[in-house]
Amino acid sequence: MADIEAEAKRQTSSKSGPAVSREDLADAEKAEYERRHVGTLERGLKSRHVQFMALSGAIGTGLFIGSGQVLSLAGPLSAFLAYLITAFNVYCVVHSLGEMATYLPLPGAVPLYAARYVDEALGFAVAWNYWWQIAIGVPIEVTVSVVVVDYWPNHVPTAALITLFLFAMVAVNCFPVRIYGEAEFVFGAVKLTTIVGLILLMFIITLGGTPNGERIGFRYWQDPGPMNEYLVTGTLGRFLAFWKVFIQATFSYGGSEMVVIASGETENPRRNIPKAIRRVFWRISLFYVLGIFLVTLCVSSTDRRLLDAIQNSAPGAAASPFVIAIENGGIAVLPSIINAVILTSAWSAGNSFFYASTRVLYAAALDGKAPRFLTFERWGVPYACVAATTLLSLLCYLNVNNRGESVFFWFSSLSAVSTLIVWSAVCVTYLRFYYGLRHNGIARDTLPYKAPLQPFLAYFALCFCVVVAFFNGFDAFFPGKFSAKTFVPPYIDVPIFLALFLGYKLVRKTRLVPLAEMDLWSGREEIDRMEGSWPEVRPRNFIERIWFWIA
């Protein structure tokens, strides 16, 4: 501040230059402070882009392939209930985050909110934990894409396929954000069409509308039964199997909050973000819950094809319960089509992770939680962050040989509990935001979007995430089960997160932000100024009304 005042005196006393008053400098400093988290990215994402981007991030191999592992381990009823309960948890998290993001739509907003409303140290820990969690998804999805291609006999070198899929992601994210939005819109539309088609097909198979004409109904819920056993027999064994699949269900829903990460680049965010939050959540939940329910009717948890595919790590669609149901029904050709959709889903999910990771890192750099050079951008693209995520994504080349796969497993396992940690941080941040509004006399009825049933949703999600994260590695403590591979992946991220949080807190001497000092206003002026500039879009006919409902 002393340097600024000295510069003001020098310019005032100068005869050749224009006079600059101390008030003008103060106004300029205030304006810079107001915009420090806004950045210079462009708002190029339309409502349809945001909605389909969330679909692309959340719906992928977790539904098409991972659901088979859940079914075989827990049984049909346990799998259905796990996805249903986890869907409600996602509802709590997304709506809590959505209220904050609509009030103050900033790029990569999660760590910024944590720093503003809770503690600078929490913002730092969340920023790097969240970036790692999302960015490591890029090499994971590239690897999955290569494995999916192996469903079809081919002699293409693994390194060539990795280069092809990774280069395509980097290329898309080097273009302005509107190009990325259009790509995700196309892939999201493919997923949407496929899932609707699979749900209808599973319903038809259940009723016996296949070439073999076999009516299934609830046969597999009766034999071998609705709930499998895990580690021990009896009621306890069935409960342990049910509890074990919660972590897989959580990972499957991971990415549902990506709609909020894009709020800083969305046109008319105070209209489009609430719209996307409400619709995307119900679509994702409907597709997961209804899809899982119907596929558990069509495939037994002890199906020989399913167990063999899981045990032998069968590539691509071979391990998908949807494909197994189709094959059991005697339907030809479709498995290869489904495998192609799984391939596009894996690549699209990786592309969404790439985009989201760059925005989280860019937001961290704007807030001073990452090196300043990461704020470098041109044409609305944070190229320094793109380069950082690209460097991390090179880990996918570890899969070229078998020894590399073991190393890659340990890297990827670091992100295992990150989803639950980030969601817990979101809930803590929202609760502070909620009580901060009340303390500062801001009525929630005046907000652009008011989440229902708060603060109870945030409390439920916080308790749910903490309990699942704490007990998700329970099987490592059973006799004969303890090893580095069973203990480290479920828990390694917890001490890393605590080290980031406590280390920053001790070095920077940060403290919990008092409610009276909570920054609820900076950045709002820019958003308020732009709010009246967006054209109001109204459907002109019945077809447009349907389209606006979809996108």
Side-chain angles (χ1 to χ4, degrees), residues 337-360:
I337 297 176
I338 299 302
N339 195 68
V341 173
I342 293 174
L343 176 60
T344 62
S345 297
W347 187 89
S348 175
N351 194 38
S352 292
F353 290 141
F354 198 112
Y355 165 82
S357 67
T358 60
R359 271 48 182 184
V360 169

Side-chain angles (χ1 to χ4, degrees), residues 364-478:
L366 286 177
D367 197 33
K369 303 300 187 300
R372 190 67 184 174
F373 73 87
L374 291 171
T375 60
F376 174 79
E377 66 87 17
R378 288 291 183 273
W379 306 291
V381 180
Y383 284 110
C385 297
V386 169
T389 298
T390 301
L391 288 175
L392 181 67
S393 301
L394 296 179
L395 289 173
C396 59
Y397 284 99
L398 291 173
N399 291 275
V400 172
N401 59 66
N402 292 330
R403 286 178 298 177
E405 289 181 359
S406 177
V407 177
F408 183 75
F409 166 79
W410 292 104
F411 275 112
S412 61
S413 66
L414 292 176
S415 67
V417 191
S418 290
T419 300
L420 291 169
I421 291 177
V422 170
W423 286 359
S424 300
V426 166
C427 295
V428 171
T429 303
Y430 176 80
L431 290 171
R432 293 285 297 169
F433 173 76
Y434 176 90
Y435 291 114
L437 291 176
R438 190 166 71 176
H439 181 84
N440 289 279
I442 302 175
R444 291 179 64 236
D445 291 331
T446 64
L447 302 183
Y449 171 67
K450 177 184 174 182
L453 302 176
Q454 293 289 16
F456 307 108
L457 294 185
Y459 278 118
F460 171 84
L462 177 61
C463 294
F464 179 89
C465 292
V466 170
V467 170
V468 173
F470 186 78
F471 290 104
N472 86 93
F474 69 88
D475 45 350
F477 300 98
F478 273 73

Side-chain angles (χ1 to χ4, degrees), residues 4 36-37 47 80 90 102 138 175 181 206 220 251 334-335 355 376 391 394 396 422 437 454 485 488 491 538:
I4 294 176
R36 76 192 193 281
H37 291 154
S47 175
F80 172 71
V90 174
T102 308
V138 177
F175 287 106
T206 302
Y220 299 133
F251 295 154
L334 271 181
Y355 165 82
F376 174 79
L391 288 175
L394 296 179
C396 59
V422 170
L437 291 176
Q454 293 289 16
K485 204 165 187 177
V488 174
Y491 295 112
R538 294 182 178 274

Side-chain angles (χ1 to χ4, degrees), residues 76 216 218-226 228 296-297 299-302:
I216 301 174
F218 281 85
R219 177 193 310 169
Y220 299 133
W221 285 53
Q222 298 172 352
D223 183 21
N228 292 350
T296 60
L297 295 179
V299 179
S300 169
S301 61
T302 58

Side-chain angles (χ1 to χ4, degrees), residues 120-200:
E120 289 279 346
L122 183 63
F124 177 80
V126 168
W128 286 103
N129 187 82
Y130 203 18
W131 176 73
W132 169 267
Q133 172 211 331
I134 301 174
I136 198 63
V138 177
I140 290 174
E141 294 298 341
V142 168
T143 302
V144 170
S145 299
V146 173
V147 173
V148 169
V149 171
D150 289 340
Y151 179 81
W152 300 293
N154 68 86
H155 301 287
V156 181
T158 300
L161 289 173
I162 290 175
T163 303
L164 173 64
F165 292 131
L166 180 58
F167 175 78
M169 291 181 190
V170 175
V172 169
N173 282 276
C174 283
F175 287 106
V177 70
R178 191 178 297 273
I179 303 299
Y180 164 80
E182 293 296 347
E184 288 308 307
F185 174 73
V186 172
F187 286 115
V190 172
K191 286 184 184 181
L192 186 64
T193 305
T194 303
I195 293 170
V196 171
L198 283 175
I199 288 175
L200 292 175

Side-chain angles (χ1 to χ4, degrees), residues 59-80:
I59 298 179
T61 53
L63 174 62
F64 293 119
I65 298 177
S67 56
Q69 296 177 329
V70 174
L71 174 61
S72 66
L73 174 62
L77 178 60
S78 295
F80 172 71

